[in-house]
Amino acid sequence: MEFKLPEFKFPDFSDAQYANLPEISIGEVEKDGVAPDDFYLTSHMPTFYKYNGKWILPEHNSLNCVAVLDGDKIVITELRELKKGDKVVLGDKIDGTQGILVYKDGFPQSIYCPRGKAVETSFSQDYDRLFELMQYEKENGGHIVWVLGPSVVFDYDTRNSLNKLAENGYINCLLGGNAMCTHDLEGGFLQTALGQNIYTQENVPMGHYNHLDLLNEVRTIGSIKEFIKAGNVKDGIIKTLNDLDVPFVLSGSIRDDGPLPEVIGDTDRALTETKKQLDKATLIIGIATMLHSLSVANMASSYRITQDGKVRPVYMYTVDITENVVNKVAAAREFMAFTPMITNVQDFVVNCERALVKPADKSLMGDMEIKQTETVGINKKEDEIKGVRL
């Protein structure tokens, strides 16, 4: 089935119930990073602001931000980015009686995530819709952002599938942290992740040093890009994205080993760089990372305005083995254009690749034969590992 974007229906602002409503009130910022009293706190729901006789829909929205009047536009802004003199929308009513109208009925009800999904839920239909959506985004200039936790890069088949998805245009940006990138590079450098062989999952001798050795090597040469350019990394999603010139943003944590040179330790700058990518996003897929998925769920707009003036949803999928994680992200997303999938993340990635990249008539036995061919000659001893192609 071909995917079709849902239609957003604007309110009839010529109707008396809207035409007679007042315009927004404005307060001026007196100190950088400090909002005026009674500022309006934004939500993910499409919100119109009445100014100069018109109802304005911002180009993007975001949760727990402020609305700033900039000329004849409304720009949704983080409090930390406010500058002295900015004109901030004031109010606490969302029914239009203060010039602020939160409009939940623009998209059809089907756009909202039903509550109560659990690990026992069948996700077959959700998979099919995701595959159709990913194909649509690829063919129509969408921007598919993946948010990865470190466990995703610990598995042979998952790394292989991620590479193929990227090579075939289904990954347009990657967001993550130091651990995810470190262990992916470790896999491409030493064929281990956290000291375990990527394929056999056996601990190699002194393997607990491997990710630290990797960090030392990258920091010595100066950058991930130069480390890959020198031929040190055989495979992995970071190498693939680097070779394809697909952007990735790595945000630091309070206890990062190393970290890698490209990891952004300045929280404000990490948020800014992440937001640049999220403002382009049309589909977000968060996998096995509660904190990164929650931050993205808060920051990313729930809709985008296309070049022809139409309003479309920004879809988000969160995949995790734990119900609590996907439920937290659903709430942060206000259940709009959101799909939770409670499943093994390795299986999820492989399923995506098989549906979108591999020929439909390729049998499971054929896959197994290919894997056997690729891994002939792999020895369990670290110093004898060779021939692995992920």
Side-chain angles (χ1 to χ4, degrees), residues 283-326:
L283 169 61
I284 303 164
I285 303 173
I287 307 180
T289 170
M290 182 174 73
L291 294 181
H292 282 275
S293 291
L294 278 169
S295 66
V296 165
N298 277 271
M299 283 191 289
S301 182
S302 65
Y303 66 84
R304 284 189 61 187
I305 300 178
T306 61
Q307 290 184 345
D308 58 1
K310 294 182 179 179
V311 181
R312 59 149 296 171
V314 173
Y315 290 92
M316 183 169 182
Y317 281 69
T318 297
V319 186
D320 203 282
I321 200 66
T322 306
E323 285 183 44
N324 183 50
V325 171
V326 299

Side-chain angles (χ1 to χ4, degrees), residues 339-350:
T339 302
M341 296 185 71
I342 307 159
T343 186
N344 178 283
V345 296
Q346 284 81 17
D347 292 343
F348 171 83
V349 176
V350 172

Side-chain angles (χ1 to χ4, degrees), residues 38-41 89-100 102:
D38 302 322
F39 64 89
Y40 171 66
L41 190 65
V89 175
L90 308 180
D92 58 4
K93 308 292 185 189
I94 60 174
D95 58 358
T97 55
Q98 293 179 336
I100 304 165
V102 173

Side-chain angles (χ1 to χ4, degrees), residues 137-154:
E137 300 295 5
K138 176 185 174 180
E139 294 174 353
N140 292 275
H143 195 72
I144 306 175
V145 176
W146 291 65
V147 188
L148 297 187
S151 66
V152 182
V153 299
F154 275 53

Side-chain angles (χ1 to χ4, degrees), residues 22-80:
E23 299 200 349
I24 53 174
S25 298
I26 296 295
E28 191 166 303
V29 174
E30 298 180 358
K31 181 180 180 180
D32 289 359
V34 180
D37 291 344
D38 302 322
F39 64 89
Y40 171 66
L41 190 65
T42 61
S43 83
H44 275 315
M45 295 297 110
T47 305
F48 293 87
Y49 302 83
K50 189 176 183 181
Y51 174 71
N52 201 20
K54 296 181 180 179
W55 288 94
I56 303 167
L57 180 68
E59 185 176 350
H60 302 98
N61 67 352
S62 192
L63 188 65
N64 294 338
C65 292
V66 293
V68 174
L69 179 64
D70 183 9
D72 59 353
K73 294 182 178 181
I74 295 289
V75 180
I76 305 304
T77 306
E78 299 277 353
L79 272 74
R80 60 187 172 82

